[in-house]
Amino acid sequence: MSLIKLTAIEALELMKRGEISADELTRAYLEQMDRREGDLHAYLEISRERALDDAARPGADGGPPLAGLPTGIKDVFCTRGIVTTCASKMLEHYDPVYTATCVQQLIDAGIVILGKTNMDEFAMGSSTENSAFGPTRNPWDLQRVPGGSSGGSAAAVAGGEAIWALGSDTGGSIRQPAALCGVVGFKPTYGSVSRYGMIAFASSFDQAGPITRTVNDAALMMQYLTGKDPLDSTSVEHPHGFSIPVDQDLAGAKIGVITKLVREGTDPDVESAFETAVEAMSAAGAQIGEATLQHLDYALPAYYILAPAEASSNLARFDGVRYGFRAAGAEGITQMYEETRSQGFGDEVKRRIMLGTFALSSGYYEAYYGQAQKVRSLIFQDFERAFAEFDFLISPTTPTPAFELGEKADDPLSMYLSDICTIPVSLAGVPAISIPCGVTLQGLPVGLQIIGPAFSGKRVLQAARSAEIAIGFDKVSPLIEEDV
Amino acid sequence: MSLTHDDVIYVARLARLKFDSRELDRYVEQLSGILDHIDKISELDLSEIEPTSHVLKLSNVFRDDEVRPCLSQDEVLANAPEVEEGAFKVPPILEAEEPEA
Amino acid sequence: MAAGTAYEPVIGLEIHVELSTKSKMFCGCEARFGGIPNTRTCPVCSAQPGALPVINREAIRHIARIALALDCRIAPGSIFHRKNYFYPDLPKGYQISQYDMPFAVEGHLDVTMDGEQHRVGIERVHQEEDTGKNIHAGESGRIAGAIYSLIDFNRCGIPLVEIVTKPDIHSPQVARSFLNKLKNTLQYLDVSDCNMEEGSLRCDANVSVRPAGSDLLGVKTELKNMNSFKHLEKGLAKEIERQIGLLEAGRPVVQQTVHYEVASGEVHPMRSKEYAHDYRYFPEPDLSPLEISQDFVDDVRTGMPELPSVRAARYVTELNLPEYDAEVLTSNRDTSDFFDETLNYFDDQKMLSNWVMGDLGAYLNASGKKLSIETVSPGQADQLCWLSPAGFGEFLAMIKDGEIAAASGKAVLPEMCETGKTAREIVEEKGLAQISDTARIEALIDRVIEANPEQREQYKSGKKQVLGYFVGQVMKESGGRANPRTVNEILREKL
Ligand SMILES: [Mg+2]
Ligand SMILES: [Zn+2]
């Protein structure tokens, strides 16, 4: 039996039955990391000792509900005892004084932390090439990116370096890398998971969520991630909670295809994988229709005003005073700020800080920030209207499969366009999942995005499980090779 | 819209960033390109539309006025680049840098 | 402007008040100033990555009390904004404040100066948070010439309420009087200790001058760093003088920040800003909006303490005190509470008022101590006077009943305040009990009459006012302890 091909639910079952131990499982993952990390670079920090200690805790096998599950944590989450860098030189040696609420909830549920996964610096990017500590590579093709910003988490899960992982999604950072790595990624409704301790990129968008091998594993992790946190004023008790989906078909489900996201600029292989998946869902009983979101063209521009604006303010605290990098030799405070921030942040982060600062600056606020907030209202209403007609909306998760490293590095706008399908959902704050739905002729995975109304996460996961069965793609782990 | 070099210098100052002349050229070009795309939103007449700051319609989220344990001085200073007498040490602040608060 | 033109100053005040909540505005750290640096911080107020603010409910009740006391209109909906700027005492790189949707607007506070009433409009009242504290190291200890700075975040995040007046003030005296009245009101509300020296009440002023009678507004400057009432008045006077001087010399007033130098009492325009101020306000995405219902406002109103003006009116109508007394007694909440509490033990309100405004007031002024209706502990004795309402009531009753002569009382009261002893203990220790014993008084009188035959003759020949001389002599002989009424009676008989 290959321990690193198990799903979380399977592993729990085996541990409960005493057939495997948490220690064996953890060691199997650490060994796979030894084999694969040199190629993948999915992790920024591997907490080997701590993982083995956690796995050896009394009751680790079959005790707490998630006991013994070897987990990768995106480096955007503060974890006491493990350096947290957000993949930035700015926080290269930052040792957090506290642990993010959602990570603490997983720890309390018994997980084993394998380490902190790589990401685009401060979660800004779609390829994990913006990490200050080197890119992560896609396990399906090492010349290609794993997507981003949760690229490390997605690559770890796809490459057998974690049974599942925690990611964060601002404009698509869970769903897009999950799609490019052929795994499942779920972004819950904004407010479902506490943001306390998750290093902020764009506060009104950021949500933590699971990256897993199956839909059911995502549902399992959500049960322990969600909850109102008194330390996060924007978190709420999820009205319907989460449960493990049952195996059933899609009979009666009204599903709207966001046609605009299928036709414009979509790779033909992606389109055909998507169409095949739609046929399978239709065959499984779903009523398929065409959904129109009137203001879709304005989503990307609005997002690239609002998110950088919030980011420009959220990243002001990285000033070299209290923690993190400080440039040496400054003679006055302003020089210290400017040198520190110019040397400490990477290009993409600086670009977004500039964009956001500009959008908020005197004389431009109304035309940019104010206008973008209004576009956000329109997109929100577009989704409300669509959900009056359909139970779920679907689209490809990304317009193209994984691209090559360096391919979009010098063209920020083309990089931004790779989130074209995920960003509208983020503007509306509604839940969405990406599940694998096929492969291209080159053998690269394609993701299907299923979107539901606010707080319908439980139903989205059920639909995704049904789609997973219908599409027949529920056992993806072609890349997990133990004997490479 | 196209940004000028002066625009970019002004914004960089607000953001406490600093660019050499080559970087400056690059930022002028890239930011102008992105803004050209973004300017699409100005097509819409949104005078009747309310802005959305929060997708969750919450209000009055409060905590009780209770004192909770603090970090120790050592903990809060542990990551500081420079410390003196239990305080964060920074280079001198020039008079002209004072904010209006 | 030609020399000899009369100028009128136009002053608006911006006041920052630190609220006396138990915990900070957005985190659970204790909201108390001072102490060992950086011992009252947490991930939120030291702006660790990923930390988030949560609004302190009590702070919102406090600002509602302030808004109601200033007759403001409380907005049914208000939101927090981020005010973005870089400064080392501002760890997040932004202050959570309010911008175009403040908590309350359009109020006023009336002040009386030399019998004339001045209504000062309140533009807005909004909620924000305090910054940390920079300590400038170097020879001067000031920002100029410092070689580095040290930052302490204990103060960072303490709730602040900003009160902005309309430019309705036209003299430094009215400005001072307004601030005094505001401070008194805030103390009645129990929302802040309003200590200007410690910075829990801070005042900046926008100042301009214009030809008297003109409706135009001149160019204004922002005057900062006045850390006492005296300095506010003095700083304003200096700045007005400076602006008039400029105009008379035909030079323009430049819109800039002007610093008041406490040591020299001079005002200094600051160097102009190297960076433009562009605070890039935007709605705080980490906090939900405030929706203030009428029920909430009514509830706060019901729980409001009696304000000074209401209390003064009560003193006049219910206690029959002169308006002057009512005004003086209520001008300080501690004193007024003490007065009210003492009424439970002593029911001659005018006599009580006289003693509070007279001897007790003099003691408080000289010692710098305050009154408290609570039991004072030894640890508080530096700031609080030991006198209790019950003890004070007993003391006054002893005077009224003739157990102590009023003259002796003047010595007893300060000792009560200093030591916490009762009036009875002090009277006993010092042998100050009043002599009402007729036999002893008669003996004294006999001696005095014997010693002053000349005056006795004068009295007999009809010069009745000599009686006063005799009373004085007897009182002197008794060391002030003889009961003056008994002395009068017996003297009249014997003479
Ligand atoms: Mg303020
Ligand atoms: Zn705190």
Side-chain angles (χ1 to χ4, degrees), chain C residues 24 27-29 40-42 44-46:
Chain C
K24 290 184 179 179
C27 65
C29 293
R40 283 191 290 279
T41 73
C42 70
V44 178
C45 60
S46 66

Side-chain angles (χ1 to χ4, degrees), chain B residues 10 16 54 58-65 67-68 70-71 73 84 86-88 90 92-93 98 100-101, chain C residues 22-24 27-28 37-38 41 55-57 83 87 147-151 270 273 278 287 289-291:
Chain B
Y10 173 80
R16 296 298 186 269
H54 300 85
L58 296 170
S59 64
N60 297 347
V61 180
F62 298 131
R63 42 173 273 274
D64 291 335
D65 183 23
V67 175
R68 316 277 303 169
C70 293
L71 294 171
Q73 193 194 57
E84 190 174 295
F88 297 91
V90 297
I93 304 161
E98 274 206 317
E100 267 154 34
Chain C
K22 292 197 210 68
S23 63
K24 290 184 179 179
C27 65
N38 296 303
T41 73
I55 301 167
N56 182 338
R57 178 185 282 111
K83 178 182 183 179
Y87 207 59
I147 48 172
Y148 60 87
S149 294
L150 298 175
I151 328 284
M270 306 272 283
K273 304 288 176 188
D278 184 341
L287 295 172
L290 297 178
E291 279 177 24

Side-chain angles (χ1 to χ4, degrees), chain B residues 100-101, chain C residues 14-16 83 95 97-98 126 128-129 160-162 281:
Chain B
E100 267 154 34
Chain C
E14 271 181 36
I15 297 113
H16 285 90
K83 178 182 183 179
Q95 181 193 37
S97 181
Q98 295 193 300
H126 78 240
E128 56 185 33
E129 55 175 339
L160 269 190
V161 165
E162 182 172 327
Y281 282 99

Side-chain angles (χ1 to χ4, degrees), chain A residues 10-29:
Chain A
E10 287 167 350
L12 278 179
E13 186 59 31
L14 291 171
M15 284 191 281
K16 204 180 286 173
R17 292 211 302 261
E19 292 180 27
I20 61 169
S21 70
D23 184 66
E24 277 174 85
L25 189 65
T26 300
R27 284 181 195 279
Y29 276 97

